[in-house]
Amino acid sequence: MTSSTDPLLGLRQAIRSNSSVTYATDDSPSSSLIHATHIVLAPGLSLPKSSPTRLRKPDITVASGPQDFYTLEAVYLAWLLRDAPGAEYMKQTRENGLTVGFVSVTERKNVVGWLEGKISEYERIVPLLGESTTPPGSPPRSSIALPSASRSQITFSSPTKRRYTADTQDLEVVKKIRQNEVELRDRNTVLRGSKPNARNKSFLRNFSAVRVAFSDKLKKLKEASKSGNTPSPSTATPGEYTNAGHIDPIVIISSSPTALITMHNVKKFLQESTFEVPQEAKARAAVEGNTRPEDVIPIYRKRVTIDSSGKEIETQARYFVVDNVEALAKFGADAWDRVVCVMTTGQAWQFKPYKWNEPTQLFHHVKGIYVSWSNDPPNPKIKDWNVTELKIDPHRRHVDKSVVAHFWKILDTWIIANKPWLMKG
């Protein structure tokens, strides 16, 4: 193939000389490209529109045949529709019968620039045989087949790949975009931070030492619980509150003889999740030789927490239960600061010796629990007391566990919201 019959050069010369490009069907002129078989680039130069050009398709690295190159029709349509928007360009190419094999929208600009002479070289255009951009004395390059209208193969040299140079305007746009970017941060990056420490500006804020310290403490607590060093419910004595645990929460129950939860059965109910009728619990204690209950009863409860690494840590929390202010006074002057819950039977006389003797005021400072049978009718007295009802089934003991779990959930939520310093572990 010579330069005079090369489809790309013929089209380029016609465009640069402003020659009229027409269509033909065999030897007859045609008014539309879709019905034409040839494209007339100049007088005496009529080429089939399906002629492969030297413009290599973008997904081809090593060309092996004419199917790896754009046709004359595809290149001509890219120039003809150079000003059309992307969607309109693709629509027009399909209407002209070119459903596949058309020049992409992103590549169209460079192809049009080469055809109009605005750029002298384009890396996807394979040079003609004998046309070389290699300086004299350079070693020969490998050759590949060049497609032609008759599908004959002609060898050519691959062009030198040009170094990419970023557009100055694009760089400015990217710079502005980066300035407006919002960095996504998670909990770890926020804690690490990048601000200087107030005491030493040469160091960045880093809480790794605190994390290590607490990890050691949690590890020791876990090992202690496994080895049995923590006090167990069976070995606990009522006098322990005078020596340690001065921040253990306190629960006050009613001393009324009609109360469902008394000092006789509260330990079994809250610690073992089993309800025992107060009269039966009192009789059992008498048989065991305990005619009078202790005035302060410790309740031990297992609580599972999750550390920062996602591991479950089981700790044992202790609560104290009393039923009168005399026993509460044994905890010191700040005892009421540790009271987190008051269980009531709905009788207002229970609150007279309390620090807050009005129910509405009392249950503003502590969590109120109204204990009743599940089949009891609603008590109108507690309507405005801000208390939560805890209903116990008279017969089904298997539901006691869920009732007690509900109680602890309510109490934990209230403590976290109102007295979080009492939540250990």
Side-chain angles (χ1 to χ4, degrees), residues 1 7 49-57 59-60 62-72 74-75 101 126 144-154 156:
M1 180 185 295
K49 66 179 184 180
S50 59
S51 301
T53 65
R54 292 180 289 113
L55 180 60
R56 190 173 64 246
K57 293 180 179 179
D59 54 344
I60 303 299
V62 178
S64 59
Q67 70 277 4
D68 297 332
F69 296 85
Y70 287 113
T71 62
L72 176 61
V75 178
V126 178
I144 61 174
L146 175 68
S148 64
S150 61
R151 297 185 181 271
S152 61
Q153 294 185 341
I154 302 176
F156 58 86

PDB file of all heavy atoms in Angstrom, residues 1 7 49-57 59-60 62-72 74-75 101 126 144-154 156:
ATOM      1  N   MET A   1       0.850  -1.192   0.000  1.00  0.00           N
ATOM      2  CA  MET A   1       0.000   0.000   0.000  1.00  0.00           C
ATOM      3  C   MET A   1       0.883   1.237   0.000  1.00  0.00           C
ATOM      4  O   MET A   1       1.776   1.364   0.818  1.00  0.00           O
ATOM      5  CB  MET A   1      -0.916   0.002   1.231  1.00  0.00           C
ATOM      6  CG  MET A   1      -1.838   1.206   1.299  1.00  0.00           C
ATOM      7  SD  MET A   1      -2.783   1.210   2.837  1.00  0.00           S
ATOM      8  CE  MET A   1      -3.756  -0.266   2.621  1.00  0.00           C
ATOM      9  N   PRO A   7      -5.945   4.771   3.227  1.00  0.00           N
ATOM     10  CA  PRO A   7      -7.221   5.400   3.621  1.00  0.00           C
ATOM     11  C   PRO A   7      -7.041   6.556   4.598  1.00  0.00           C
ATOM     12  O   PRO A   7      -7.698   7.590   4.462  1.00  0.00           O
ATOM     13  CB  PRO A   7      -7.992   4.240   4.259  1.00  0.00           C
ATOM     14  CG  PRO A   7      -7.399   3.005   3.673  1.00  0.00           C
ATOM     15  CD  PRO A   7      -5.959   3.306   3.452  1.00  0.00           C
ATOM     16  N   LYS A  49     -15.798   1.563   2.195  1.00  0.00           N
ATOM     17  CA  LYS A  49     -15.911   2.129   3.546  1.00  0.00           C
ATOM     18  C   LYS A  49     -15.487   1.131   4.620  1.00  0.00           C
ATOM     19  O   LYS A  49     -15.203   1.511   5.754  1.00  0.00           O
ATOM     20  CB  LYS A  49     -17.330   2.614   3.808  1.00  0.00           C
ATOM     21  CG  LYS A  49     -18.396   1.507   3.852  1.00  0.00           C
ATOM     22  CD  LYS A  49     -19.758   2.099   4.151  1.00  0.00           C
ATOM     23  CE  LYS A  49     -20.829   1.007   4.294  1.00  0.00           C
ATOM     24  NZ  LYS A  49     -22.163   1.567   4.579  1.00  0.00           N
ATOM     25  N   SER A  50     -15.430  -0.144   4.268  1.00  0.00           N
ATOM     26  CA  SER A  50     -14.989  -1.163   5.223  1.00  0.00           C
ATOM     27  C   SER A  50     -13.482  -1.374   5.185  1.00  0.00           C
ATOM     28  O   SER A  50     -12.971  -2.295   5.825  1.00  0.00           O
ATOM     29  CB  SER A  50     -15.697  -2.485   4.940  1.00  0.00           C
ATOM     30  OG  SER A  50     -15.419  -2.925   3.608  1.00  0.00           O
ATOM     31  N   SER A  51     -12.772  -0.525   4.432  1.00  0.00           N
ATOM     32  CA  SER A  51     -11.316  -0.681   4.339  1.00  0.00           C
ATOM     33  C   SER A  51     -10.679  -0.472   5.711  1.00  0.00           C
ATOM     34  O   SER A  51     -10.945   0.527   6.386  1.00  0.00           O
ATOM     35  CB  SER A  51     -10.735   0.340   3.354  1.00  0.00           C
ATOM     36  OG  SER A  51     -11.307   0.176   2.078  1.00  0.00           O
ATOM     37  N   PRO A  52      -9.828  -1.393   6.150  1.00  0.00           N
ATOM     38  CA  PRO A  52      -9.140  -1.183   7.432  1.00  0.00           C
ATOM     39  C   PRO A  52      -8.089  -0.089   7.297  1.00  0.00           C
ATOM     40  O   PRO A  52      -7.413   0.021   6.275  1.00  0.00           O
ATOM     41  CB  PRO A  52      -8.511  -2.541   7.726  1.00  0.00           C
ATOM     42  CG  PRO A  52      -8.389  -3.208   6.402  1.00  0.00           C
ATOM     43  CD  PRO A  52      -9.504  -2.705   5.541  1.00  0.00           C
ATOM     44  N   THR A  53      -7.975   0.717   8.320  1.00  0.00           N
ATOM     45  CA  THR A  53      -6.980   1.788   8.330  1.00  0.00           C
ATOM     46  C   THR A  53      -5.797   1.371   9.190  1.00  0.00           C
ATOM     47  O   THR A  53      -5.726   0.239   9.672  1.00  0.00           O
ATOM     48  CB  THR A  53      -7.600   3.075   8.890  1.00  0.00           C
ATOM     49  OG1 THR A  53      -7.949   2.857  10.259  1.00  0.00           O
ATOM     50  CG2 THR A  53      -8.847   3.472   8.112  1.00  0.00           C
ATOM     51  N   ARG A  54      -4.897   2.312   9.393  1.00  0.00           N
ATOM     52  CA  ARG A  54      -3.738   2.042  10.260  1.00  0.00           C
ATOM     53  C   ARG A  54      -3.991   2.456  11.712  1.00  0.00           C
ATOM     54  O   ARG A  54      -3.072   2.446  12.530  1.00  0.00           O
ATOM     55  CB  ARG A  54      -2.515   2.789   9.712  1.00  0.00           C
ATOM     56  CG  ARG A  54      -2.020   2.257   8.376  1.00  0.00           C
ATOM     57  CD  ARG A  54      -0.805   3.008   7.863  1.00  0.00           C
ATOM     58  NE  ARG A  54      -1.139   4.360   7.417  1.00  0.00           N
ATOM     59  CZ  ARG A  54      -0.734   5.469   8.016  1.00  0.00           C
ATOM     60  NH1 ARG A  54       0.000   5.401   9.108  1.00  0.00           N
ATOM     61  NH2 ARG A  54      -1.069   6.663   7.548  1.00  0.00           N
ATOM     62  N   LEU A  55      -5.234   2.825  12.030  1.00  0.00           N
ATOM     63  CA  LEU A  55      -5.578   3.231  13.394  1.00  0.00           C
ATOM     64  C   LEU A  55      -5.932   1.986  14.207  1.00  0.00           C
ATOM     65  O   LEU A  55      -6.974   1.362  13.998  1.00  0.00           O
ATOM     66  CB  LEU A  55      -6.753   4.214  13.375  1.00  0.00           C
ATOM     67  CG  LEU A  55      -7.227   4.715  14.746  1.00  0.00           C
ATOM     68  CD1 LEU A  55      -6.109   5.432  15.484  1.00  0.00           C
ATOM     69  CD2 LEU A  55      -8.438   5.632  14.589  1.00  0.00           C
ATOM     70  N   ARG A  56      -5.045   1.642  15.130  1.00  0.00           N
ATOM     71  CA  ARG A  56      -5.207   0.431  15.932  1.00  0.00           C
ATOM     72  C   ARG A  56      -6.243   0.655  17.036  1.00  0.00           C
ATOM     73  O   ARG A  56      -6.322   1.717  17.641  1.00  0.00           O
ATOM     74  CB  ARG A  56      -3.864   0.033  16.540  1.00  0.00           C
ATOM     75  CG  ARG A  56      -3.852  -1.342  17.199  1.00  0.00           C
ATOM     76  CD  ARG A  56      -2.459  -1.760  17.628  1.00  0.00           C
ATOM     77  NE  ARG A  56      -1.934  -0.875  18.660  1.00  0.00           N
ATOM     78  CZ  ARG A  56      -0.898  -0.078  18.505  1.00  0.00           C
ATOM     79  NH1 ARG A  56      -0.268  -0.041  17.338  1.00  0.00           N
ATOM     80  NH2 ARG A  56      -0.477   0.695  19.486  1.00  0.00           N
ATOM     81  N   LYS A  57      -7.045  -0.368  17.296  1.00  0.00           N
ATOM     82  CA  LYS A  57      -8.050  -0.294  18.358  1.00  0.00           C
ATOM     83  C   LYS A  57      -7.364  -0.256  19.727  1.00  0.00           C
ATOM     84  O   LYS A  57      -6.284  -0.824  19.901  1.00  0.00           O
ATOM     85  CB  LYS A  57      -9.006  -1.482  18.265  1.00  0.00           C
ATOM     86  CG  LYS A  57      -9.871  -1.445  17.003  1.00  0.00           C
ATOM     87  CD  LYS A  57     -10.819  -2.635  16.933  1.00  0.00           C
ATOM     88  CE  LYS A  57     -11.682  -2.566  15.677  1.00  0.00           C
ATOM     89  NZ  LYS A  57     -12.600  -3.712  15.556  1.00  0.00           N
ATOM     90  N   ASP A  59      -7.782  -1.717  22.610  1.00  0.00           N
ATOM     91  CA  ASP A  59      -7.553  -2.928  23.396  1.00  0.00           C
ATOM     92  C   ASP A  59      -6.611  -3.906  22.708  1.00  0.00           C
ATOM     93  O   ASP A  59      -6.458  -5.047  23.141  1.00  0.00           O
ATOM     94  CB  ASP A  59      -8.891  -3.617  23.688  1.00  0.00           C
ATOM     95  CG  ASP A  59      -9.686  -3.887  22.415  1.00  0.00           C
ATOM     96  OD1 ASP A  59      -9.354  -3.288  21.376  1.00  0.00           O
ATOM     97  OD2 ASP A  59     -10.644  -4.686  22.475  1.00  0.00           O
ATOM     98  N   ILE A  60      -5.977  -3.468  21.633  1.00  0.00           N
ATOM     99  CA  ILE A  60      -5.059  -4.331  20.884  1.00  0.00           C
ATOM    100  C   ILE A  60      -3.626  -3.868  21.140  1.00  0.00           C
ATOM    101  O   ILE A  60      -3.291  -2.704  20.916  1.00  0.00           O
ATOM    102  CB  ILE A  60      -5.361  -4.287  19.365  1.00  0.00           C
ATOM    103  CG1 ILE A  60      -6.818  -4.696  19.100  1.00  0.00           C
ATOM    104  CG2 ILE A  60      -4.400  -5.180  18.607  1.00  0.00           C
ATOM    105  CD1 ILE A  60      -7.153  -6.099  19.549  1.00  0.00           C
ATOM    106  N   VAL A  62      -0.797  -6.088  20.201  1.00  0.00           N
ATOM    107  CA  VAL A  62      -0.073  -6.610  19.033  1.00  0.00           C
ATOM    108  C   VAL A  62      -1.104  -6.971  17.977  1.00  0.00           C
ATOM    109  O   VAL A  62      -1.894  -7.899  18.158  1.00  0.00           O
ATOM    110  CB  VAL A  62       0.776  -7.846  19.407  1.00  0.00           C
ATOM    111  CG1 VAL A  62       1.478  -8.382  18.169  1.00  0.00           C
ATOM    112  CG2 VAL A  62       1.786  -7.495  20.487  1.00  0.00           C
ATOM    113  N   ALA A  63      -1.121  -6.213  16.878  1.00  0.00           N
ATOM    114  CA  ALA A  63      -2.111  -6.437  15.825  1.00  0.00           C
ATOM    115  C   ALA A  63      -1.767  -7.688  15.034  1.00  0.00           C
ATOM    116  O   ALA A  63      -0.607  -7.937  14.700  1.00  0.00           O
ATOM    117  CB  ALA A  63      -2.168  -5.231  14.899  1.00  0.00           C
ATOM    118  N   SER A  64      -2.804  -8.479  14.743  1.00  0.00           N
ATOM    119  CA  SER A  64      -2.585  -9.715  13.982  1.00  0.00           C
ATOM    120  C   SER A  64      -3.377  -9.762  12.689  1.00  0.00           C
ATOM    121  O   SER A  64      -3.221 -10.689  11.907  1.00  0.00           O
ATOM    122  CB  SER A  64      -2.965 -10.923  14.849  1.00  0.00           C
ATOM    123  OG  SER A  64      -4.323 -10.840  15.240  1.00  0.00           O
ATOM    124  N   GLY A  65      -4.263  -8.786  12.463  1.00  0.00           N
ATOM    125  CA  GLY A  65      -5.056  -8.804  11.249  1.00  0.00           C
ATOM    126  C   GLY A  65      -5.896  -7.558  11.111  1.00  0.00           C
ATOM    127  O   GLY A  65      -5.923  -6.697  12.000  1.00  0.00           O
ATOM    128  N   PRO A  66      -6.633  -7.426  10.003  1.00  0.00           N
ATOM    129  CA  PRO A  66      -7.452  -6.228   9.757  1.00  0.00           C
ATOM    130  C   PRO A  66      -8.503  -5.984  10.831  1.00  0.00           C
ATOM    131  O   PRO A  66      -8.903  -4.845  11.056  1.00  0.00           O
ATOM    132  CB  PRO A  66      -8.099  -6.521   8.399  1.00  0.00           C
ATOM    133  CG  PRO A  66      -7.222  -7.544   7.756  1.00  0.00           C
ATOM    134  CD  PRO A  66      -6.665  -8.369   8.860  1.00  0.00           C
ATOM    135  N   GLN A  67      -8.964  -7.054  11.502  1.00  0.00           N
ATOM    136  CA  GLN A  67      -9.994  -6.872  12.518  1.00  0.00           C
ATOM    137  C   GLN A  67      -9.499  -6.090  13.735  1.00  0.00           C
ATOM    138  O   GLN A  67     -10.301  -5.646  14.565  1.00  0.00           O
ATOM    139  CB  GLN A  67     -10.544  -8.238  12.974  1.00  0.00           C
ATOM    140  CG  GLN A  67      -9.579  -9.078  13.787  1.00  0.00           C
ATOM    141  CD  GLN A  67      -8.603  -9.867  12.919  1.00  0.00           C
ATOM    142  OE1 GLN A  67      -8.617  -9.719  11.692  1.00  0.00           O
ATOM    143  NE2 GLN A  67      -7.765 -10.677  13.537  1.00  0.00           N
ATOM    144  N   ASP A  68      -8.189  -5.911  13.840  1.00  0.00           N
ATOM    145  CA  ASP A  68      -7.614  -5.181  14.968  1.00  0.00           C
ATOM    146  C   ASP A  68      -7.497  -3.683  14.689  1.00  0.00           C
ATOM    147  O   ASP A  68      -6.941  -2.945  15.519  1.00  0.00           O
ATOM    148  CB  ASP A  68      -6.232  -5.749  15.315  1.00  0.00           C
ATOM    149  CG  ASP A  68      -6.306  -7.199  15.758  1.00  0.00           C
ATOM    150  OD1 ASP A  68      -7.359  -7.589  16.303  1.00  0.00           O
ATOM    151  OD2 ASP A  68      -5.326  -7.939  15.558  1.00  0.00           O
ATOM    152  N   PHE A  69      -7.995  -3.223  13.543  1.00  0.00           N
ATOM    153  CA  PHE A  69      -7.887  -1.810  13.172  1.00  0.00           C
ATOM    154  C   PHE A  69      -9.276  -1.252  12.866  1.00  0.00           C
ATOM    155  O   PHE A  69     -10.198  -1.982  12.483  1.00  0.00           O
ATOM    156  CB  PHE A  69      -6.981  -1.638  11.941  1.00  0.00           C
ATOM    157  CG  PHE A  69      -5.559  -2.056  12.184  1.00  0.00           C
ATOM    158  CD1 PHE A  69      -5.173  -3.391  12.051  1.00  0.00           C
ATOM    159  CD2 PHE A  69      -4.607  -1.127  12.557  1.00  0.00           C
ATOM    160  CE1 PHE A  69      -3.867  -3.774  12.276  1.00  0.00           C
ATOM    161  CE2 PHE A  69      -3.299  -1.511  12.783  1.00  0.00           C
ATOM    162  CZ  PHE A  69      -2.925  -2.833  12.652  1.00  0.00           C
ATOM    163  N   TYR A  70      -9.416   0.054  13.066  1.00  0.00           N
ATOM    164  CA  TYR A  70     -10.669   0.718  12.722  1.00  0.00           C
ATOM    165  C   TYR A  70     -10.824   0.791  11.206  1.00  0.00           C
ATOM    166  O   TYR A  70      -9.843   0.926  10.460  1.00  0.00           O
ATOM    167  CB  TYR A  70     -10.707   2.133  13.294  1.00  0.00           C
ATOM    168  CG  TYR A  70     -10.912   2.181  14.790  1.00  0.00           C
ATOM    169  CD1 TYR A  70      -9.908   2.643  15.633  1.00  0.00           C
ATOM    170  CD2 TYR A  70     -12.121   1.786  15.352  1.00  0.00           C
ATOM    171  CE1 TYR A  70     -10.093   2.700  17.006  1.00  0.00           C
ATOM    172  CE2 TYR A  70     -12.319   1.846  16.727  1.00  0.00           C
ATOM    173  CZ  TYR A  70     -11.302   2.297  17.552  1.00  0.00           C
ATOM    174  OH  TYR A  70     -11.492   2.349  18.899  1.00  0.00           O
ATOM    175  N   THR A  71     -12.083   0.747  10.760  1.00  0.00           N
ATOM    176  CA  THR A  71     -12.353   0.879   9.328  1.00  0.00           C
ATOM    177  C   THR A  71     -12.370   2.353   8.933  1.00  0.00           C
ATOM    178  O   THR A  71     -12.444   3.251   9.785  1.00  0.00           O
ATOM    179  CB  THR A  71     -13.705   0.239   8.983  1.00  0.00           C
ATOM    180  OG1 THR A  71     -14.735   0.942   9.691  1.00  0.00           O
ATOM    181  CG2 THR A  71     -13.737  -1.232   9.371  1.00  0.00           C
ATOM    182  N   LEU A  72     -12.320   2.584   7.620  1.00  0.00           N
ATOM    183  CA  LEU A  72     -12.373   3.950   7.103  1.00  0.00           C
ATOM    184  C   LEU A  72     -13.687   4.618   7.493  1.00  0.00           C
ATOM    185  O   LEU A  72     -13.725   5.804   7.827  1.00  0.00           O
ATOM    186  CB  LEU A  72     -12.221   3.925   5.576  1.00  0.00           C
ATOM    187  CG  LEU A  72     -12.350   5.272   4.852  1.00  0.00           C
ATOM    188  CD1 LEU A  72     -11.277   6.243   5.318  1.00  0.00           C
ATOM    189  CD2 LEU A  72     -12.290   5.070   3.332  1.00  0.00           C
ATOM    190  N   ALA A  74     -15.478   4.100  10.222  1.00  0.00           N
ATOM    191  CA  ALA A  74     -15.459   4.477  11.635  1.00  0.00           C
ATOM    192  C   ALA A  74     -14.659   5.758  11.854  1.00  0.00           C
ATOM    193  O   ALA A  74     -15.068   6.652  12.603  1.00  0.00           O
ATOM    194  CB  ALA A  74     -14.882   3.338  12.471  1.00  0.00           C
ATOM    195  N   VAL A  75     -13.507   5.867  11.174  1.00  0.00           N
ATOM    196  CA  VAL A  75     -12.669   7.058  11.335  1.00  0.00           C
ATOM    197  C   VAL A  75     -13.362   8.277  10.736  1.00  0.00           C
ATOM    198  O   VAL A  75     -13.344   9.380  11.309  1.00  0.00           O
ATOM    199  CB  VAL A  75     -11.292   6.830  10.682  1.00  0.00           C
ATOM    200  CG1 VAL A  75     -10.430   8.082  10.804  1.00  0.00           C
ATOM    201  CG2 VAL A  75     -10.587   5.644  11.326  1.00  0.00           C
ATOM    202  N   GLY A 101     -17.389  -1.387  16.584  1.00  0.00           N
ATOM    203  CA  GLY A 101     -16.178  -1.001  15.879  1.00  0.00           C
ATOM    204  C   GLY A 101     -16.057   0.478  15.609  1.00  0.00           C
ATOM    205  O   GLY A 101     -15.241   0.887  14.776  1.00  0.00           O
ATOM    206  N   VAL A 126      -0.388   3.280  13.131  1.00  0.00           N
ATOM    207  CA  VAL A 126       0.797   2.521  12.726  1.00  0.00           C
ATOM    208  C   VAL A 126       1.428   3.199  11.509  1.00  0.00           C
ATOM    209  O   VAL A 126       0.727   3.507  10.529  1.00  0.00           O
ATOM    210  CB  VAL A 126       0.413   1.064  12.394  1.00  0.00           C
ATOM    211  CG1 VAL A 126       1.631   0.282  11.926  1.00  0.00           C
ATOM    212  CG2 VAL A 126      -0.224   0.398  13.603  1.00  0.00           C
ATOM    213  N   ILE A 144       5.067  -5.908  12.333  1.00  0.00           N
ATOM    214  CA  ILE A 144       3.801  -6.624  12.371  1.00  0.00           C
ATOM    215  C   ILE A 144       3.069  -6.379  11.069  1.00  0.00           C
ATOM    216  O   ILE A 144       3.480  -5.550  10.251  1.00  0.00           O
ATOM    217  CB  ILE A 144       2.938  -6.157  13.552  1.00  0.00           C
ATOM    218  CG1 ILE A 144       2.628  -4.661  13.401  1.00  0.00           C
ATOM    219  CG2 ILE A 144       3.613  -6.399  14.867  1.00  0.00           C
ATOM    220  CD1 ILE A 144       1.665  -4.163  14.438  1.00  0.00           C
ATOM    221  N   ALA A 145       1.968  -7.084  10.879  1.00  0.00           N
ATOM    222  CA  ALA A 145       1.246  -7.001   9.610  1.00  0.00           C
ATOM    223  C   ALA A 145       0.393  -5.749   9.551  1.00  0.00           C
ATOM    224  O   ALA A 145      -0.207  -5.353  10.536  1.00  0.00           O
ATOM    225  CB  ALA A 145       0.371  -8.235   9.441  1.00  0.00           C
ATOM    226  N   LEU A 146       0.354  -5.102   8.394  1.00  0.00           N
ATOM    227  CA  LEU A 146      -0.470  -3.919   8.155  1.00  0.00           C
ATOM    228  C   LEU A 146      -1.671  -4.331   7.318  1.00  0.00           C
ATOM    229  O   LEU A 146      -1.518  -4.966   6.279  1.00  0.00           O
ATOM    230  CB  LEU A 146       0.339  -2.853   7.407  1.00  0.00           C
ATOM    231  CG  LEU A 146      -0.435  -1.605   6.990  1.00  0.00           C
ATOM    232  CD1 LEU A 146      -0.839  -0.819   8.222  1.00  0.00           C
ATOM    233  CD2 LEU A 146       0.394  -0.751   6.050  1.00  0.00           C
ATOM    234  N   PRO A 147      -2.885  -4.008   7.762  1.00  0.00           N
ATOM    235  CA  PRO A 147      -4.060  -4.408   6.991  1.00  0.00           C
ATOM    236  C   PRO A 147      -4.225  -3.553   5.747  1.00  0.00           C
ATOM    237  O   PRO A 147      -3.779  -2.419   5.680  1.00  0.00           O
ATOM    238  CB  PRO A 147      -5.204  -4.165   7.976  1.00  0.00           C
ATOM    239  CG  PRO A 147      -4.702  -3.065   8.844  1.00  0.00           C
ATOM    240  CD  PRO A 147      -3.229  -3.288   8.976  1.00  0.00           C
ATOM    241  N   SER A 148      -4.911  -4.099   4.767  1.00  0.00           N
ATOM    242  CA  SER A 148      -5.216  -3.371   3.534  1.00  0.00           C
ATOM    243  C   SER A 148      -6.595  -3.774   3.068  1.00  0.00           C
ATOM    244  O   SER A 148      -7.213  -4.694   3.609  1.00  0.00           O
ATOM    245  CB  SER A 148      -4.172  -3.674   2.446  1.00  0.00           C
ATOM    246  OG  SER A 148      -4.232  -5.042   2.083  1.00  0.00           O
ATOM    247  N   ALA A 149      -7.075  -3.080   2.042  1.00  0.00           N
ATOM    248  CA  ALA A 149      -8.412  -3.368   1.526  1.00  0.00           C
ATOM    249  C   ALA A 149      -8.489  -4.781   0.990  1.00  0.00           C
ATOM    250  O   ALA A 149      -9.525  -5.425   1.035  1.00  0.00           O
ATOM    251  CB  ALA A 149      -8.775  -2.363   0.436  1.00  0.00           C
ATOM    252  N   SER A 150      -7.390  -5.293   0.423  1.00  0.00           N
ATOM    253  CA  SER A 150      -7.373  -6.645  -0.124  1.00  0.00           C
ATOM    254  C   SER A 150      -6.909  -7.658   0.903  1.00  0.00           C
ATOM    255  O   SER A 150      -6.641  -8.799   0.567  1.00  0.00           O
ATOM    256  CB  SER A 150      -6.451  -6.686  -1.348  1.00  0.00           C
ATOM    257  OG  SER A 150      -5.125  -6.326  -0.953  1.00  0.00           O
ATOM    258  N   ARG A 151      -6.790  -7.201   2.217  1.00  0.00           N
ATOM    259  CA  ARG A 151      -6.386  -8.045   3.330  1.00  0.00           C
ATOM    260  C   ARG A 151      -4.980  -8.606   3.142  1.00  0.00           C
ATOM    261  O   ARG A 151      -4.630  -9.651   3.663  1.00  0.00           O
ATOM    262  CB  ARG A 151      -7.382  -9.194   3.559  1.00  0.00           C
ATOM    263  CG  ARG A 151      -8.766  -8.695   3.948  1.00  0.00           C
ATOM    264  CD  ARG A 151      -9.677  -9.836   4.282  1.00  0.00           C
ATOM    265  NE  ARG A 151     -11.003  -9.349   4.641  1.00  0.00           N
ATOM    266  CZ  ARG A 151     -11.370  -9.018   5.865  1.00  0.00           C
ATOM    267  NH1 ARG A 151     -10.503  -9.115   6.835  1.00  0.00           N
ATOM    268  NH2 ARG A 151     -12.596  -8.602   6.105  1.00  0.00           N
ATOM    269  N   SER A 152      -4.153  -7.924   2.356  1.00  0.00           N
ATOM    270  CA  SER A 152      -2.750  -8.322   2.251  1.00  0.00           C
ATOM    271  C   SER A 152      -2.004  -7.767   3.444  1.00  0.00           C
ATOM    272  O   SER A 152      -2.408  -6.773   4.027  1.00  0.00           O
ATOM    273  CB  SER A 152      -2.145  -7.783   0.952  1.00  0.00           C
ATOM    274  OG  SER A 152      -2.206  -6.372   0.947  1.00  0.00           O
ATOM    275  N   GLN A 153      -0.927  -8.386   3.840  1.00  0.00           N
ATOM    276  CA  GLN A 153      -0.173  -7.995   5.016  1.00  0.00           C
ATOM    277  C   GLN A 153       1.104  -7.284   4.620  1.00  0.00           C
ATOM    278  O   GLN A 153       1.854  -7.751   3.770  1.00  0.00           O
ATOM    279  CB  GLN A 153       0.167  -9.219   5.866  1.00  0.00           C
ATOM    280  CG  GLN A 153      -1.074  -9.873   6.475  1.00  0.00           C
ATOM    281  CD  GLN A 153      -0.693 -11.002   7.392  1.00  0.00           C
ATOM    282  OE1 GLN A 153       0.411 -11.510   7.296  1.00  0.00           O
ATOM    283  NE2 GLN A 153      -1.608 -11.379   8.262  1.00  0.00           N
ATOM    284  N   ILE A 154       1.321  -6.119   5.242  1.00  0.00           N
ATOM    285  CA  ILE A 154       2.521  -5.330   4.989  1.00  0.00           C
ATOM    286  C   ILE A 154       3.178  -5.068   6.326  1.00  0.00           C
ATOM    287  O   ILE A 154       2.510  -4.745   7.305  1.00  0.00           O
ATOM    288  CB  ILE A 154       2.171  -4.003   4.289  1.00  0.00           C
ATOM    289  CG1 ILE A 154       1.439  -4.291   2.978  1.00  0.00           C
ATOM    290  CG2 ILE A 154       3.406  -3.162   4.064  1.00  0.00           C
ATOM    291  CD1 ILE A 154       0.968  -3.056   2.256  1.00  0.00           C
ATOM    292  N   PHE A 156       5.498  -3.198   9.235  1.00  0.00           N
ATOM    293  CA  PHE A 156       5.772  -1.825   9.631  1.00  0.00           C
ATOM    294  C   PHE A 156       6.439  -1.854  10.996  1.00  0.00           C
ATOM    295  O   PHE A 156       6.428  -2.858  11.699  1.00  0.00           O
ATOM    296  CB  PHE A 156       4.485  -0.992   9.672  1.00  0.00           C
ATOM    297  CG  PHE A 156       3.457  -1.554  10.595  1.00  0.00           C
ATOM    298  CD1 PHE A 156       3.459  -1.239  11.933  1.00  0.00           C
ATOM    299  CD2 PHE A 156       2.495  -2.442  10.113  1.00  0.00           C
ATOM    300  CE1 PHE A 156       2.516  -1.760  12.777  1.00  0.00           C
ATOM    301  CE2 PHE A 156       1.560  -2.969  10.965  1.00  0.00           C
ATOM    302  CZ  PHE A 156       1.568  -2.631  12.300  1.00  0.00           C
TER     303      PHE A 156
END
